[in-house]
């Protein structure tokens, strides 16, 4: 019996170590890429500053680079706010859809009383509860195929 459990464990959990190693490699590669990206960005800003300084002086070059960075920061912040707002609206729409699928309050009250009714454990009570659950399920569209 132990070899069976061992095989089931390999089948069920065999991908944990490779997945962990892939995630680790991805995180390390992402960190290295971020360092190179930041280095390239700083070099680009320095080059832009030197280029503008040749025409307008160091002060205007520094101001132009700072304004460019501020503008990019504002664009990123606005983009993130828009994405967050869209995600929030999507979640609210899913919650409204889930609430619309709930049964009416009378049905919810009947379903809430089911555990109390089951304490009697008589056959007639169980049959009555089964009939009530069946009726509620059918009223909610259970068993229908909308093809």
């Amino acid at each position: 019996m132990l070899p069976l459990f061992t095989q089931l464990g390999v089948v069920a959990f065999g991908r944990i170590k490779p997945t962990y190693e892939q995630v680790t490699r991805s995180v390390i590669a992402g960190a290295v890429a971020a360092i190179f990206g930041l280095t390239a960005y700083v070099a680009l800003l320095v080059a832009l500053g030197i280029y503008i300084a040749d025409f307008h002086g160091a002060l205007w070059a520094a101001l132009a680079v700072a304004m460019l960075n501020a503008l990019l920061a504002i664009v990123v912040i606005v983009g993130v706010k828009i994405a967050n707002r869209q995600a929030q609206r999507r979640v609210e729409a899913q919650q409204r859809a889930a609430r619309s699928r709930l049964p009416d309050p009378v049905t919810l009250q009947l379903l809430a009383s089911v555990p109390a009714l089951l304490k009697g454990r008589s056959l007639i009570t169980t049959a009555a509860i089964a009939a009530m659950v069946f009726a509620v399920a059918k009223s909610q569209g259970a068993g229908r195929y909308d093809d």
Side-chain angles (χ1 to χ4, degrees):
M1 194 64 143
L2 184 60
L4 175 65
F5 287 133
T6 304
Q7 289 297 335
L8 287 175
V10 168
V11 169
F13 303 113
R15 296 263 317 143
I16 288 177
K17 186 168 179 154
T19 302
Y20 171 76
E21 290 171 355
Q22 288 173 351
V23 168
T24 304
R25 274 192 299 260
S26 296
V27 168
I28 291 171
V32 170
I35 290 170
F36 285 137
L38 287 174
T39 304
Y41 179 71
V42 169
L44 175 71
L45 291 179
V46 168
L48 181 64
I50 292 171
Y51 179 75
I52 295 174
D54 285 342
F55 297 109
H56 300 290
L59 178 64
W60 289 109
L63 285 174
V65 170
M67 294 289 276
L68 177 67
N69 279 327
L71 182 65
L72 289 175
I74 289 171
V75 167
V76 167
I77 289 172
V78 168
V80 168
K81 285 189 178 278
I82 289 171
N84 286 343
R85 190 175 313 134
Q86 287 175 346
Q88 182 64 28
R89 286 181 182 161
R90 198 172 320 120
V91 167
E92 289 171 355
Q94 289 173 348
Q95 288 174 346
R96 281 192 303 272
R99 271 190 241 114
S100 71
R101 288 189 299 263
L102 284 176
D104 61 339
V106 174
T107 306
L108 284 175
Q109 186 63 33
L110 285 172
L111 291 175
S113 65
V114 168
L117 292 174
L118 283 175
K119 288 187 180 183
R121 294 190 188 120
S122 72
L123 188 58
I124 295 174
T125 304
T126 304
I129 292 170
M132 182 179 66
V133 169
F134 178 77
V136 169
K138 279 300 193 181
S139 73
Q140 295 298 314
R144 287 190 202 146
Y145 294 105
D146 296 332
D147 289 334

